[in-house]
Amino acid sequence: MNLKIAVLAGDGIGPEIMEQGVAVCSAIAEKFGHEVSYKEALCGAHAIDEVGDPFPDETFQTCKQADAVLFASVGDPKFDNNPSAKVRPEQGLLAMRKKLGLYANIRPVETFDCLIHKSPLKDEIVRGADFICIRELTGGMYFGKKVEPTVNADGVEEALDTNYYTRPEVERILRVGYQYARARRKHLTVIDKANVLASSRLWRKVAQEIEKEYPDVTTDYMYVDNAAMRMIQDPKFFDVMVTENTFGDILTDEGSVITGSMGLLPSASTGSSTPVFEPIHGSWPQGRGLNIANPLAQILSVAMLYEYFGLNKEGALIREAVNASLDANVRTPEIQAEPCSEKYGTKEVGAWIVNYIRRA
């Protein structure tokens, strides 16, 4: 297969982990006889510094013309600490999702037996947890009407974010959820706040209609606050969960840390145009240039990329190599088991996995 991949390394540790992701992608292509070409493009704070736009049109065109986008991270403290900034790196991420029509974010949450001790949850609670959170990605408060902080006629400062959804938006993401549930353990949990929010009542109304089309899938409903609690008390309850944008953003970060490290989990964003594959963690600017960032989530995002195109053997070999590196304690500092005679950084972990793939 011939694949054209847009490479958006972004900010912070992004370029370092992207280097390892691309190396693994190329090693797999060589192993299985694929042709892969890469085109780099600007995004995030780096793009703001260069051209004043976190997602310039040239980057959009590069993504649109590619078969897939491999993305790393955006974000920089100089914007985080400036609430009056008119342009922010994260606006580029939202623009990419909107312009590419990426309405479905797929985030698997899976535990690794050798890292259970790193989880904040007890072994008997978290071991074996394996679920997917499907987050609607282009609606809700992140994209609804906004009013920036301003002083109203009564002299009171106010702001507004609108949690806006339409039936077609809800229907299409629910159907994605049911497709994944059918391919797994046939259990879908719809997460909303229908006892308070009108937008959630639309979600529940539409879901109750659509669930009749999927009699082979067990559907249940859960308020988001209860879901957040249940993920801590009994994460193995979940198979596939589907929810709106803001709730999904929060729940997926909660899900990521119960595995022991945010540096382990990949994601895919799919929709009407070029799919995007990225680690779920942020840019961690404090770790930039120190060769300590965990590249495994970026590398596993490459596995999801290959699997998206039906290349399951390729994805399976990447996952095998990652598991082998963990079992061999070839890990970056935050997850390395002690005692360990040799220390590994971002580059060393990536090189070990590439060599494993080549020898396989």
Side-chain angles (χ1 to χ4, degrees):
M1 177 177 283
N2 295 331
L3 288 174
K4 295 185 294 183
I5 299 177
V7 175
L8 278 61
D11 308 322
I13 61 171
E16 297 167 68
I17 60 173
M18 182 62 78
E19 182 180 351
Q20 307 313 315
V22 168
V24 168
C25 190
S26 296
I28 286 290
E30 182 180 346
K31 184 79 173 178
F32 288 88
H34 303 303
E35 293 289 334
V36 179
S37 60
Y38 306 96
K39 186 172 182 180
E40 297 182 1
L42 295 171
C43 68
H46 184 203
I48 295 174
D49 291 341
E50 293 287 330
V51 299
D53 185 341
F55 189 65
D57 187 64
E58 184 177 349
T59 297
F60 170 54
Q61 295 301 327
T62 296
C63 294
K64 193 174 180 180
Q65 293 163 13
D67 296 307
V69 177
L70 194 57
F71 176 84
S73 60
V74 296
D76 191 282
K78 67 184 178 183
F79 297 96
D80 297 340
N81 298 325
N82 181 10
S84 62
K86 301 299 182 185
V87 182
R88 298 178 178 278
E90 292 77 11
Q91 291 171 343
L93 186 56
L94 297 180
M96 178 173 66
R97 293 167 179 171
K98 197 70 172 180
K99 288 184 176 181
L100 293 176
L102 304 175
Y103 60 84
N105 182 236
I106 317 301
R107 291 196 179 188
V109 177
E110 183 179 1
T111 55
F112 296 84
D113 286 347
C114 64
L115 291 173
I116 292 294
H117 66 286
K118 289 287 186 178
S119 173
L121 302 182
K122 294 179 180 179
D123 185 309
E124 62 267 25
I125 293 175
V126 74
R127 186 180 294 273
D130 175 11
F131 60 91
I132 292 178
C133 183
I134 297 178
R135 167 190 170 194
E136 200 289 323
L137 206 56
T138 57
M141 284 194 291
Y142 288 18
F143 293 94
K145 179 182 176 182
K146 298 180 183 298
V147 175
E148 295 295 329
T150 185
V151 178
N152 65 20
D154 296 323
V156 177
E157 194 169 18
E158 63 181 10
L160 174 70
D161 293 287
T162 307
N163 199 40
Y164 177 79
Y165 272 105
T166 65
R167 172 180 280 270
E169 289 176 313
V170 178
E171 285 182 347
R172 68 185 181 184
I173 194 66
L174 285 169
R175 294 189 188 283
V176 172
Y178 275 110
Q179 289 167 7
Y180 273 87
R182 273 185 163 171
R184 288 172 53 90
R185 301 192 299 273
K186 295 182 171 56
H187 176 201
L188 182 73
T189 304
V190 181
I191 297 172
D192 60 32
K193 192 62 177 170
N195 57 336
V196 176
L197 301 177
S199 57
S200 280
R201 286 191 283 276
L202 174 64
W203 271 73
R204 186 161 294 206
K205 177 184 178 183
V206 174
Q208 288 175 340
E209 294 172 6
I210 289 180
E211 73 166 293
K212 299 171 185 176
E213 301 175 24
Y214 300 88
D216 54 320
V217 176
T218 299
T219 304
D220 49 40
Y221 298 84
M222 196 175 291
Y223 295 146
V224 63
D225 44 350
N226 186 28
M229 180 177 63
R230 191 72 180 266
M231 283 174 62
I232 299 301
Q233 292 179 323
D234 184 17
K236 287 180 280 192
F237 167 82
F238 297 102
D239 177 21
V240 177
M241 61 172 70
V242 61
T243 191
E244 58 103 77
N245 205 341
T246 305
F247 297 161
D249 194 3
I250 296 167
L251 290 176
T252 51
D253 275 8
E254 181 188 358
S256 71
V257 297
I258 69 175
T259 67
S261 172
M262 289 186 72
L264 294 172
L265 300 181
S267 75
S269 298
T270 64
S272 59
S273 187
T274 314
V276 174
F277 303 88
E278 61 181 296
I280 63 99
H281 57 70
S283 61
W284 193 31
Q286 299 84 353
R288 179 174 55 195
L290 301 179
N291 194 38
I292 59 175
N294 190 344
L296 294 186
Q298 186 79 68
I299 290 169
L300 288 169
S301 296
V302 175
M304 292 188 76
L305 185 157
Y306 276 112
E307 289 161 354
Y308 176 86
F309 292 102
L311 303 174
N312 295 324
K313 290 182 180 179
E314 289 83 340
L317 180 54
I318 294 174
R319 296 180 188 280
E320 178 186 320
V322 166
N323 282 320
S325 73
L326 291 171
D327 290 340
N329 202 23
V330 180
R331 314 176 193 174
T332 45
E334 90 285 4
I335 58 171
Q336 192 168 53
E338 298 292 345
C340 184
S341 59
E342 188 171 353
K343 303 297 182 182
Y344 298 92
T346 312
K347 295 178 181 178
E348 290 75 21
V349 171
W352 194 96
I353 290 172
V354 165
N355 288 334
Y356 183 97
I357 290 168
R358 287 174 175 165
R359 294 193 306 266

